[in-house]
């Protein structure tokens, strides 16, 4: 699959989920680099930067993309020969893909420790990291049942309930707007995330902040499962995470919408949950309170102050 094909599949959500997007982008960039022949070092680096920019433009909210590409490109940018650059790209890609996959099992192990016995859990969207925590806790006999939302308008909840069902977990499938209605039955609200800001705010699928608000009202703790590459370094310098607005046809068929001349259809893909609503963030490096997000960015993502120009 070409780099352009990968970019299009990410853009149209045929490839979805922050971790899968990151791995697909890294694989595409590595393959693209392998096919670049007969170039001097400056041209090789320039072509890779252009390719990375194409991938970056596909999903503006998912910081896994810039983090993954920065991790892989860092040694390429510092290479002194074309051979060093090619080897750095190859090894960096292999290492990132391996580490990102291993992160999920580590998060599941750590997250399961923080799930109470006989727990009733609510989850929103389709997060491999969050589902992994639930499945591991269920394996340990700690999960009674799960409430999973449908996740309009793309219905990612169908993927979640399939994974939970296949793991043998009793699951209740509910419409998004029923989350507050069922919150009184819940012991823990757990989600994944597409981005974590420097102050610990969480950017996740639209509707997350409303469910987090309902959880806070009901005194239900909120736990977020996130690989370290989902933390957003540039928020240190005051950058805001752009919230992706997707095509209105995902919400309402264009034939119907065409007859509603006074109606504007809004379709934000994500929202921001304040750090005050989050009790714990589970990463492959350990469990942290949201106010420690800066430590993850500083110690594990490899961004230097000069990168924030």
């Amino acid at each position: 699959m070409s780099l352009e094909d990968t970019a299009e599949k990410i853009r149209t959500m045929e490839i979805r989920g922050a971790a899968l997007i990151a791995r697909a982008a890294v694989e595409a960039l590595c393959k693209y680099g392998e096919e670049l022949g007969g170039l001097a070092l400056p041209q090789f680096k320039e072509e890779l930067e252009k390719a990375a920019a194409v991938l970056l433009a596909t999903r503006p909210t998912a910081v896994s993309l810039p983090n993954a590409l920065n991790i892989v490109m860092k040694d390429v940018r510092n290479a002194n020969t074309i051979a060093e650059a090619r080897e750095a790209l190859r090894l960096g890609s292999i290492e990132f893909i391996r580490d990102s996959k291993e992160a999920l099992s580590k998060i599941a192990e750590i997250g399961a420790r923080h799930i109470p016995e006989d727990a009733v859990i609510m989850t929103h969207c389709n997060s491999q990291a969050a589902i992994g925590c639930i499945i591991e806790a269920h394996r340990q006999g700690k999960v009674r049942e799960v409430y999973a939302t449908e996740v309009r308008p793309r219905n990612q909840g169908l993927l979640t309930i399939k994974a939970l069902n296949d793991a043998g977990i009793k699951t209740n499938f509910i419409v998004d707007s029923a989350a507050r209605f069922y919150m009184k039955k819940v012991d823990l609200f757990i989600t994944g995330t597409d981005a974590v800001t420097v102050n610990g705010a969480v950017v996740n699928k639209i509707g997350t902040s409303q469910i987090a608000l309902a959880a806070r009202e009901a005194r239900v703790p909120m736990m977020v499962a996130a690989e370290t590459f989902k933390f957003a370094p540039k928020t240190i310098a005051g950058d805001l995470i752009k919230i992706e607005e997707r095509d209105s046809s995902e919400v309402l068929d264009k034939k119907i919408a065409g007859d509603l001349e006074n109606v504007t259809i809004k379709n934000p893909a994500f929202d921001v949950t304040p750090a005050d609503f989050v009790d714990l963030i589970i990463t492959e490096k350990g469990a942290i309170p949201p106010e420690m997000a800066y430590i993850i960015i500083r110690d594990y993502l490899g961004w230097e102050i000069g990168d924030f120009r």
Side-chain angles (χ1 to χ4, degrees):
M1 186 165 57
S2 70
L3 185 134
E4 291 77 12
D5 289 338
T6 299
E8 182 62 18
K9 288 180 182 294
I10 294 172
R11 187 179 298 108
T12 59
M13 293 182 68
E14 189 171 337
I15 299 173
R16 67 173 73 179
L20 293 178
I21 288 170
R23 287 198 290 270
V26 166
E27 287 175 351
L29 185 67
C30 184
K31 181 181 177 184
Y32 181 80
E34 289 172 348
E35 294 171 351
L36 286 174
L39 295 178
L41 180 61
Q43 287 73 40
F44 180 74
K45 290 182 179 181
E46 182 180 352
E47 288 301 313
L48 283 181
E49 295 289 1
K50 288 179 181 177
V54 170
L55 293 164
L56 281 172
T58 58
R59 298 297 302 275
T61 303
V63 298
S64 59
L65 264 175
N67 280 338
L69 294 172
N70 183 68
I71 289 168
V72 170
M73 286 293 294
K74 201 166 188 65
D75 287 341
V76 175
R77 291 171 182 141
N78 294 329
N80 295 314
T81 68
I82 187 72
E84 283 182 11
R86 289 186 179 280
E87 185 67 356
L89 178 63
R90 185 183 72 84
L91 292 179
S93 300
I94 291 171
E95 184 176 354
F96 175 82
I97 291 167
R98 182 199 66 214
D99 289 350
S100 68
K101 289 179 178 179
E102 290 178 355
L104 290 176
S105 60
K106 292 176 182 177
I107 288 171
E109 178 187 346
I110 296 167
R113 296 178 203 154
H114 295 274
I115 292 176
E117 296 289 342
D118 198 33
V120 177
I121 299 169
M122 184 174 288
T123 190
H124 182 62
C125 200
N126 178 245
S127 163
Q128 287 183 300
I131 291 171
C133 294
I134 297 170
I135 290 175
E136 176 58 23
H138 175 262
R139 189 189 67 79
Q140 297 175 17
K142 299 172 73 175
V143 177
R144 189 196 316 167
E145 61 182 321
V146 175
Y147 285 84
T149 55
E150 60 177 343
V151 196
R152 286 277 300 152
R154 297 283 303 202
N155 299 312
Q156 289 101 321
L158 294 174
L159 300 173
T160 297
I161 61 173
K162 175 67 163 59
L164 296 174
N165 177 77
D166 290 349
I169 300 172
K170 180 182 177 182
T171 303
N172 305 283
F173 189 46
I174 63 173
V175 298
D176 296 344
S177 52
R180 184 175 182 271
F181 182 85
Y182 287 108
M183 188 61 72
K184 60 182 178 290
K185 299 179 180 290
V186 171
D187 300 306
L188 178 69
F189 173 43
I190 180 169
T191 73
T193 182
D194 284 79
V196 181
T197 71
V198 67
N199 69 353
V202 171
V203 182
N204 196 47
K205 180 58 58 181
I206 191 72
T208 301
S209 63
Q210 294 179 91
I211 302 176
L213 180 61
R216 184 180 175 88
E217 175 197 41
R219 296 185 178 181
V220 170
M222 178 179 182
M223 189 167 84
V224 175
E227 300 95 321
T228 53
F229 61 78
K230 292 180 181 177
F231 286 66
K234 291 191 176 182
T235 57
I236 291 174
D239 281 15
L240 299 178
I241 294 175
K242 182 179 179 181
I243 300 298
E244 179 182 357
E245 180 91 21
R246 296 189 59 80
D247 193 274
S248 63
S249 63
E250 292 183 350
V251 177
L252 191 62
D253 187 275
K254 288 186 176 180
K255 291 182 180 179
I256 299 172
D259 295 330
L260 304 171
E261 59 184 18
N262 296 314
V263 174
T264 300
I265 300 164
K266 298 290 188 180
N267 185 22
F270 304 92
D271 60 25
V272 181
T273 299
D276 287 349
F277 290 11
V278 179
D279 292 277
L280 202 61
I281 301 176
I282 307 295
T283 80
E284 71 273 22
K285 303 299 182 181
I288 62 168
E291 57 267 24
M292 285 183 64
Y294 169 71
I295 304 299
I296 297 294
I297 294 171
R298 185 191 67 188
D299 293 351
Y300 296 111
L301 291 181
W303 289 81
E304 298 175 0
I305 195 69
D307 295 324
F308 302 119
R309 290 191 299 268

